[in-house]
Amino acid sequence: METANQKIIPTFPIAEIRQHFPLLQRTIHNKPIVYLDNAATTQKPMEVIDALRDYYMRTNANIHRGIHTLAEEATAAYEATRSAVQGFIHSSFAEEIVFTRGTTESINLVANTWGKQNIQEGDEIIISEMEHHSNIVPWQLLCEEKKAVLKIIPINDDGELLMDVYQQLLSSKTKLVAVTYVSNSLGTINPIAKIISLAHNAGALVLVDGAQATVHLDIDVQKMDCDFYAFSGHKIYGPTGVGVLYGKKSLLEAMPVFMGGGEMIKEVSFAKTTYAELPYKYEAGTPNIADTVALKAAIDFMLEVDVAMIHQHENALLEYATEQMLEIPNLYIYGRAKHKTGVISFLVKNIHPQDMGVLLDNQAIAVRTGHHCTQPLMHRLGVPGTIRASFAVYNTMEEIDKLVSGIQKSVKMLL
């Protein structure tokens, strides 16, 4: 059996990285916290916390509307984040980056603008069996309103998309494919380039739910050639309440507005209103300025550590954890795709996931239990929910050992 020390990447400065995250110094139940709920939200480095504090202490002002110094500084900081996001996901233009509250709002924006403008009765939208509710419900609502058809790409028992079935689902009626890049419940990395290519060959557009992918993988929307890409700041070590919608410029320009109000207008009269240029026509009202400014610090942190190195470290954690957990009797891992990232969903026979979660919490080990906002997927797997451990840049092999030991202790108490 390999030990934790044999799995460590020698060049990865894990001790130094952990010092950036003050919450990891906490104790719970008199034990150091082991935070393994990163697919739900990541912890924040001091760079992000400092950026939030410094904004409110030194810069706080509304943006785009004032000529005084604070307003100009706030505007510059806000737009610097837009430029940082553009570089981070390699979009062609800064105006292709629209700030939202998160992945959910980004998907709803597309459904309620492009969708209502372009989907007609009898048209088809394709999603997959492993989607998060936020990439199911908006399309259900749109299909109900437009009398369109929602089709589902099934998965195999390992949690991989059945790509041959996907090809059969595509037709001249397909107008949109909306699919997750990385499953939040299974960790499966979907073959996104092939999904997009096949959809485009059929004349359909593609929206990629990148909520889980952006923190683990190098994202290049131009190489990917997706039409829309959505992700949330809090999944990439940034603040809550801010997210991104990327859309190809020509699509965003042709789409109707989403919300009406200040900032998204060019001129208002009681007879007629004209709208602002991209991206501002989709950013009505005073935005979440402080959290958007702090998002740049999160991106800078990831780039400084190096996204490829983060992915390598997380893969080592995943490999080691999988090996160790599979040695526990009656433990079954859901999601055994050949290509996956740092998520392990599991159950132990005859133990309810919530019971296991409570006992792990008593040992200061934070995991997620339940259906993970993927109830159709859980139905496909034939379980009410799972226990999910998900890894991030600051997790260690020693924490994996604590998780394994915690599961073993919990099993002895529950069986």
Side-chain angles (χ1 to χ4, degrees):
M1 180 190 301
E2 289 185 286
T3 66
N5 287 334
Q6 288 176 302
K7 286 288 185 181
I8 294 173
I9 302 169
T11 56
F12 196 74
I14 185 63
E16 178 185 334
I17 285 169
R18 286 180 64 86
Q19 292 302 312
H20 289 255
F21 294 86
L23 187 139
L24 300 182
Q25 312 308 314
R26 270 200 68 178
T27 59
I28 294 179
H29 307 305
N30 297 316
K31 299 179 181 68
I33 187 169
V34 176
Y35 186 79
L36 299 173
D37 193 20
N38 297 287
T41 195
T42 53
Q43 296 305 325
K44 317 308 172 193
M46 276 307 304
E47 291 88 336
V48 171
I49 298 168
D50 287 342
L52 276 170
R53 181 191 62 190
D54 291 349
Y55 174 81
Y56 281 122
M57 289 181 65
R58 295 178 50 83
T59 312
N60 183 44
N62 215 325
I63 60 172
H64 298 142
R65 303 171 192 175
I67 60 170
H68 59 80
T69 298
L70 292 180
E72 290 183 345
E73 288 178 353
T75 299
Y78 184 86
E79 292 302 328
T81 299
R82 199 185 308 274
S83 296
V85 173
Q86 178 194 357
F88 189 58
I89 66 171
H90 303 94
S91 67
S92 299
F93 307 100
E95 55 265 39
E96 293 177 321
I97 305 302
V98 176
F99 291 125
T100 65
R101 290 180 298 164
T103 307
T104 299
E105 184 173 289
S106 295
I107 295 171
N108 275 273
L109 191 160
V110 176
N112 283 279
T113 55
W114 180 89
K116 291 188 177 181
Q117 182 184 57
N118 291 280
I119 298 298
Q120 307 296 326
E121 183 175 350
D123 287 344
E124 296 174 354
I125 296 172
I126 297 176
I127 61 174
S128 85
E129 202 166 22
M130 65 175 69
E131 299 306 318
H132 190 281
H133 295 166
S134 62
N135 201 33
I136 299 175
V137 179
W139 309 117
Q140 287 179 326
L141 293 171
L142 180 63
C143 287
E144 288 172 6
E145 178 181 336
K146 295 291 187 173
K147 297 182 180 179
V149 179
L150 190 65
K151 292 193 168 183
I152 313 300
I153 311 167
I155 62 171
N156 63 23
D157 291 340
D158 289 332
E160 299 167 320
L161 294 180
L162 296 178
M163 292 296 290
D164 55 339
V165 179
Y166 168 58
Q167 289 185 256
Q168 294 168 14
L169 291 175
L170 289 165
S171 73
S172 59
K173 294 182 179 180
T174 308
K175 295 298 183 289
L176 180 74
V177 176
V179 67
T180 185
Y181 194 165
V182 172
S183 166
N184 71 304
S185 291
L186 304 176
T188 303
I189 302 174
N190 286 321
I192 203 68
K194 185 174 182 181
I195 290 170
I196 293 169
S197 176
L198 290 169
H200 285 172
N201 288 341
L205 300 187
V206 180
L207 179 145
V208 176
D209 177 350
Q212 298 295 328
T214 311
V215 70
H216 299 298
L217 307 175
D218 184 28
I219 304 301
D220 189 325
V221 293
Q222 291 186 73
K223 286 183 181 178
M224 197 185 304
D225 196 28
C226 59
D227 301 289
F228 302 103
Y229 187 91
F231 69 96
S232 300
H234 73 100
K235 307 282 192 184
I236 62 167
Y237 309 104
T240 56
V242 59
V244 170
L245 172 66
Y246 157 82
K248 289 180 177 177
K249 187 177 179 181
S250 59
L251 293 172
L252 294 176
E253 286 176 335
M255 286 157 46
V257 297
F258 182 39
M259 294 188 294
E263 188 65 23
M264 50 74 67
I265 55 89
K266 181 180 293 183
E267 185 175 347
V268 173
S269 72
F270 288 118
K272 182 178 176 59
T273 295
T274 55
Y275 305 115
E277 302 297 321
L278 289 178
Y280 307 112
K281 80 174 190 178
Y282 294 115
E283 295 179 6
T286 299
N288 187 354
I289 305 169
D291 290 324
T292 303
V293 168
L295 178 59
K296 181 179 183 298
I299 291 172
D300 291 343
F301 170 79
M302 287 189 65
L303 293 174
E304 184 177 349
V305 176
D306 186 85
V307 175
M309 285 290 291
I310 294 172
H311 186 47
Q312 184 182 358
H313 172 66
E314 291 168 344
N315 279 346
L317 292 170
L318 174 64
E319 182 182 347
Y320 180 66
T322 302
E323 291 172 355
Q324 299 302 306
M325 291 171 67
L326 285 177
E327 293 190 5
I328 299 173
N330 297 314
L331 186 147
Y332 185 83
I333 292 176
Y334 294 87
R336 301 182 181 217
K338 296 180 182 67
H339 301 287
K340 63 177 290 186
T341 190
V343 171
I344 297 181
S345 279
F346 67 97
L347 288 175
V348 178
K349 187 177 179 180
N350 297 326
I351 294 178
H352 194 281
Q354 186 171 343
D355 294 337
M356 175 73 75
V358 169
L359 290 182
L360 289 175
D361 179 64
N362 289 340
Q363 300 171 70
I365 301 168
V367 295
R368 179 72 42 161
T369 64
H371 55 66
H372 318 303
C373 291
T374 55
Q375 285 182 298
L377 173 61
M378 295 298 129
H379 179 74
R380 163 64 177 83
L381 299 175
V383 296
T386 66
I387 307 153
R388 184 185 68 190
S390 49
F391 312 127
V393 63
Y394 39 69
N395 290 127
T396 67
M397 299 298 175
E398 289 73 21
E399 289 180 320
I400 301 301
D401 290 339
K402 289 181 180 180
L403 171 65
V404 172
S405 176
I407 295 169
Q408 291 169 331
K409 290 177 183 177
S410 299
V411 170
K412 289 179 180 179
M413 295 176 67
L414 292 168
L415 291 180

